[in-house]
Amino acid sequence: MFKWCEIKAACAVVLVLILAANPAFAADISVSQAWMRATIGAGGNSAAYMTIANAGSAADVLTGVTTPVAGMADVHQTVEDNGMMKMEAVPKLEIPAGGSVSLSPGGYHVMVMQVGKKLTAGDTVPMTLTFERAGAVDIDVPVVPLGASGPG
């Protein structure tokens, strides 16, 4: 018969093996300087910006974004195409091990589309970022005035 301490030790070993197989965790991913602009009214679009850092020893990949205030939220990138600036969806965004990626105006950003209500400065928008390794990371994104160029 197994003794209780042997069972606990075996469980601890299994847990360590599981954690070693998945080196990036939600604790490895941090989000700072998040912000998004207010909207003119319901049904419109906005964009969210932030810096995503990965303190883990392996790269992680942002695979999706959701928010209850919008019908859709996707990572986009602003690119130049034959002298014209356009936005295109980015299905996956790699966050390098020990590094970070900035989502900022004119570059990567989260397009928040089909906003269900008017967002005004001072509101906070809940958002879930989904990563391949870290899983779901919940953040609160402050809403700044419509013409703002940053979080301050």
Side-chain angles (χ1 to χ4, degrees):
M1 226 41 203
F2 289 108
K3 294 180 183 174
W4 180 244
C5 61
E6 291 172 342
I7 293 171
K8 288 192 327 187
C11 289
V13 169
V14 170
L15 181 60
V16 167
L17 291 173
I18 290 170
L19 295 177
N22 188 7
F25 308 101
D28 290 337
I29 298 293
S30 63
V31 179
S32 61
Q33 301 172 345
W35 63 284
M36 66 185 295
R37 290 188 185 103
T39 59
I40 295 172
N45 301 331
S46 187
Y49 309 102
M50 63 200 73
T51 298
I52 304 170
N54 178 1
S57 60
D60 206 341
V61 178
L62 176 62
T63 60
V65 181
T66 59
T67 178
V69 304
M72 291 176 45
D74 293 320
V75 177
H76 282 204
Q77 180 180 21
T78 304
V79 295
E80 183 180 341
D81 183 20
N82 292 325
M84 299 289 292
M85 298 305 285
K86 67 177 189 174
M87 289 185 291
E88 58 186 32
V90 177
K92 295 182 178 186
L93 181 60
E94 183 173 312
I95 314 301
S100 65
V101 173
S102 291
L103 283 66
S104 58
Y108 291 114
H109 55 280
V110 175
M111 279 302 302
V112 182
M113 299 166 279
Q114 303 166 1
V115 176
K117 66 174 189 162
K118 181 179 180 179
L119 301 176
T120 58
D123 289 347
T124 301
V125 173
M127 198 171 282
T128 300
L129 309 177
T130 304
F131 296 87
E132 282 183 357
R133 295 179 179 274
V137 175
D138 294 323
I139 62 171
D140 290 318
V141 182
V143 177
V144 300
L146 189 59
S149 60

